[in-house]
Structure formats: structure tokens, C-alpha cells
Amino acid sequence: MGEIDPAFIQATDQRPKLKPTNPVADEIPIIDLSVLSSPDETRKVVSEIGHACKNWGFFQVINHGVPLELARKIEEVAKTFFELPAEEKKKVKRDMVNALGYHDGENTKNVRDWKEVFDFLVEDETLVPASPEPDDKELRKLTNQWPQYPPEFRQVTLRSFTSSDSNRLNGFAMNAHRGLPGVCSSGGKTGYKLLGLMALGLDQPENRFNDYFKDQQTSMVRFNHYPPCPFPHLALGVGRHKDAGALTVLAQDDVGGLEVKRKSDGEWIPVTPTPNAYIINVGDIVQVWSNDKYESVEHRVVVNSEKERFSVPFFFFPAHHVMVKPLEELLSDENPAKYREYNWGKFYATRNRSDFKKQEVENIQIHHFRLPE
């Protein structure tokens, strides 16, 4: 079997249990989006999503309107890319200057992840702060890197995810507001539908969050590949973490591996793959906007000793200039703001550059902006 690089070894208390002692009787909710044409059913879905956001921070959606053949094509080109020789993949390797492209050395909580990734922006040329320094007003332009092979890689991803192709496909394509992939259909389930349903659950207008994503949202897509790991008791595909953005939409294959930390008892609960479903999780920004009514929760990915795993998360990020703070409409003397505001672009710049090296202190988190009780 050989030896594992110590960089991959998780702390003893973070290592996965390969054989859970108790069967999982509790799983994240599965919510059917096909009923949204009915007002009564829409209210029911809003209630279900609100409950999931409060109690789990995660849920799955089915009947979301994404053509199955489109999802299969995306999986096919991603798999073909990851099968390329390492020297070919590294021609589009990302670094501290260019944050897009291929990467195989990411750290989570200062432990290396057992995975390789390919990242690209929804807006092909996106402005972000040049540095995380608060007084530095300079912006820099991020531009996607595209591999030469497979030759259809760029075309498939542009048509599927980005807003730069005039013949955008339905399903994963962006709507007129350049919204989320994975929940768009000709029936009007636009990319902003999920955030809209969350807003309704907070007794806010359905479009309450839309303006934060205008004028160069920083949203990105990641192709994840988790190779088989001979040390599943020591390593993780991704260590425990919370997502920093507003919302994440995840497509995963049938291998499984995602685990969510259950709020009620802190146990790690596996998310069973549901055919043609998308996994949705609340990000830190929504937690702040909701003033902790909705919660971003920790999750991780365990590895498989025999099978490789693929997944495709879409990270819904606002524009770089957005100041993130609790919604004024939700605040009162009884419910004061729990966070001071922070700039998303500076947060993004700090987080982005820290993925390439071990840190002396914990990476930036929203709890660093929490106000004293």
C-alpha cells in the first residue's frame, strides 16, 4: 500500500468513521420543485426550504428542470480532462496570481485535500480586489484559463454555465439575470428561484437578494475529482468547512462521499446520492443576511478506497463591491445585528490567496465579524 504523505493526514478527531456504529435514520430533506406553479404548493415549498435552512443548512431538490443529457455531457468532459496526463493538466494550473484553472494541492483547515479541481468563473472577465489590504482600492481582472484538451471542454462549459454564449442552453444556463445553474427551466424556474424562495421564507420580497449579484457577480463553478484513496481512514477529499458564498448548488455522481454535520448532535451524516437531484446548501453570506435565522453548516467529503468520485458545485457569489451585513428589515431591539458588515471582495481576496500555503492562523471566517452579545 505504501505510505501516505503526512500533508494529507487529518487530526485524530477529524478522521472519518469507516463503519458508523448507528444506521442513519435522519437525512437532509428532499424538496420537489415541480409544484411551484401552484400558490398553495409554493407556500409549502417555501416552508420546507425555510425549515431545511434553519435545521440542516442543506437540502436536495428534485424535478428542477435540468435536462439529464446536459448534466451527462458536463460530467463526460470533466472526466476526460482529469484523465489527461499531469503535465497536460498543469498547463492550466492556477496559482496565487491567476486563481482560475487546475489545482491539485488545496488545503482545508491546513490539511491537504485528496482531490484535484478545475475552477472557472461564470463571468469570464471578473473584477476583484487586487489585494486583501483594506486600504488598497485597486482592482484586478480574473480571466478563465481553458485547457486545449478535450477540444470541446470550453464550448460545453461556456454553453452550460457562463453568460458569454449567445446560444445558452436551458437548464444549467443563466437566465437574463445570470443566475444559478441547476434550477432553470422554460417553466420559469429561473436561476434566482432558490434564493427567492429563501427570501420568502424570511418574509422578504422574492427579489430581495437579486441586486447583490448585478454588475459582475463573482460566481464560479468547480469540477471536483476525488481519486481512489488507499488511506480512507486517514485522509479526506475535503476537510470540514463552511461555504463562504451565498448559496451552493452541487451535482454529484452516484458514488457518494459528502457528509453534513447534523446540528442537533454534531454527528456526520452522509448525503445519499439521489438520482438527478441537486444538493443545495446555505452559505455564510445568507447566514449573515438572515442574522443567523438560516445557518451555514460544516460539511466534508470522505474518500473511497476503490472508486473515484466526481462532483460539480456552483458557488453563487455576489459582486466584489457588495457589503455583507444583516438585512435591516430583520433587525429590532429584540433581534439586534449579530455581525458587523464586511466587503465581499476583500473577503474573497483573503480566502483565495490562502489556499496555496499553510497558515499561521485560521483562514478568514464570518465568525471574525461576529459582534459581541
Side-chain angles (χ1 to χ4, degrees):
M1 182 184 296
E3 295 185 359
I4 185 172
D5 184 335
F8 291 104
I9 298 178
Q10 294 286 326
T12 304
D13 62 341
Q14 297 302 323
R15 296 174 190 173
K17 298 177 183 177
L18 298 186
K19 293 183 179 179
T21 52
N22 298 313
V24 177
D26 197 13
E27 294 210 41
I28 69 171
I30 298 176
I31 298 173
D32 187 349
L33 296 184
S34 67
V35 299
L36 290 175
S37 57
S38 160
D40 288 342
E41 289 294 342
T42 297
R43 282 191 287 271
K44 179 174 179 288
V45 169
V46 168
S47 176
E48 290 174 345
I49 289 178
H51 184 270
C53 291
K54 293 174 191 175
N55 294 285
W56 281 96
F58 271 80
F59 55 96
Q60 296 193 65
V61 293
I62 57 174
N63 297 320
H64 41 66
V66 181
L68 182 58
E69 63 272 16
L70 176 59
R72 294 291 175 265
K73 185 64 176 175
I74 293 163
E75 183 178 336
E76 180 183 316
V77 297
K79 185 173 183 179
T80 301
F81 170 77
F82 287 123
E83 288 174 346
L84 293 172
E87 60 268 21
E88 188 66 36
K89 290 183 286 191
K90 288 180 179 179
K91 290 179 181 178
V92 288
K93 187 173 176 64
R94 66 184 241 209
D95 54 36
M96 289 183 68
V97 175
N98 192 336
L100 288 312
Y102 175 74
H103 193 46
D104 62 351
E106 196 163 70
N107 295 301
T108 303
K109 305 295 184 187
N110 285 330
V111 181
R112 188 171 172 184
D113 297 330
W114 192 277
K115 68 174 181 182
E116 53 181 348
V117 306
F118 184 89
D119 294 336
F120 58 95
L121 294 161
V122 168
E123 299 287 346
D124 198 3
E125 294 186 346
T126 297
L127 294 176
V128 297
S131 80
E133 298 304 320
D135 296 330
D136 184 356
K137 305 301 181 184
E138 184 182 352
L139 299 176
R140 65 189 179 108
K141 184 182 294 184
L142 295 180
T143 303
N144 288 327
Q145 296 191 84
W146 299 109
Q148 187 175 356
Y149 302 103
E152 69 274 20
F153 187 99
R154 181 175 184 174
Q155 180 185 16
V156 169
T157 53
L158 283 175
R159 296 182 69 195
S160 302
F161 291 102
T162 76
S163 59
S164 58
D165 180 58
S166 59
N167 297 312
R168 295 187 294 273
L169 292 178
N170 216 357
F172 275 89
M174 305 301 112
N175 72 340
H177 296 290
R178 304 186 181 103
L180 296 170
V183 289
C184 188
S185 79
S186 57
K189 299 183 182 71
T190 69
Y192 283 90
K193 181 57 70 175
L194 283 174
L195 269 184
L197 293 168
M198 289 182 178
L200 291 172
L202 295 169
D203 296 321
Q204 299 301 306
E206 188 171 3
N207 65 354
R208 178 63 180 85
F209 301 126
N210 290 13
D211 285 349
Y212 296 123
F213 300 88
K214 292 181 179 178
D215 303 324
Q216 289 247 322
Q217 61 173 274
T218 55
S219 299
M220 60 168 279
V221 179
R222 166 167 288 182
F223 291 163
N224 282 318
H225 174 226
Y226 303 94
C229 177
F231 309 96
H233 57 297
L234 297 176
L236 288 169
V238 183
R240 63 183 179 90
H241 68 286
K242 299 181 180 185
D243 288 357
L247 196 67
T248 304
V249 178
L250 175 75
Q252 67 168 347
D253 63 16
D254 59 1
V255 174
L258 176 65
E259 294 186 342
V260 174
K261 193 171 188 179
R262 187 165 54 194
K263 288 179 62 176
S264 59
D265 58 8
E267 286 292 312
W268 288 104
I269 306 301
V271 179
T272 304
T274 299
N276 306 324
Y278 288 87
I279 300 165
I280 315 300
N281 67 279
V282 172
D284 289 345
I285 291 175
V286 164
Q287 177 171 327
V288 173
W289 283 340
S290 72
N291 207 37
D292 282 354
K293 186 172 183 180
Y294 293 166
E295 187 173 347
S296 170
V297 302
E298 283 192 325
H299 49 289
R300 68 183 187 182
V301 175
V302 298
V303 287
N304 192 301
S305 61
E306 299 176 358
K307 297 179 180 179
E308 62 183 350
R309 175 178 182 259
F310 294 91
S311 69
V312 183
F314 177 103
F315 300 105
F316 201 24
F317 293 160
H320 72 85
H321 54 76
V322 167
M323 301 300 296
V324 180
K325 61 181 180 178
L327 300 183
E328 295 286 346
E329 303 94 312
L330 301 182
L331 304 181
S332 65
D333 291 341
E334 295 75 30
N335 184 35
K338 294 181 170 64
Y339 300 89
R340 59 184 172 89
E341 71 175 10
Y342 63 92
N343 174 258
W344 166 248
K346 292 296 185 181
F347 189 104
Y348 176 93
T350 303
R351 181 70 71 92
N352 175 258
R353 295 193 175 202
S354 65
D355 288 336
F356 300 91
K357 55 187 177 181
K358 296 270 186 174
Q359 300 295 298
E360 296 297 325
V361 296
E362 182 182 31
N363 199 351
I364 191 169
Q365 308 286 341
I366 59 167
H367 69 71
H368 294 134
F369 300 93
R370 184 176 285 278
L371 292 168
E373 295 283 338

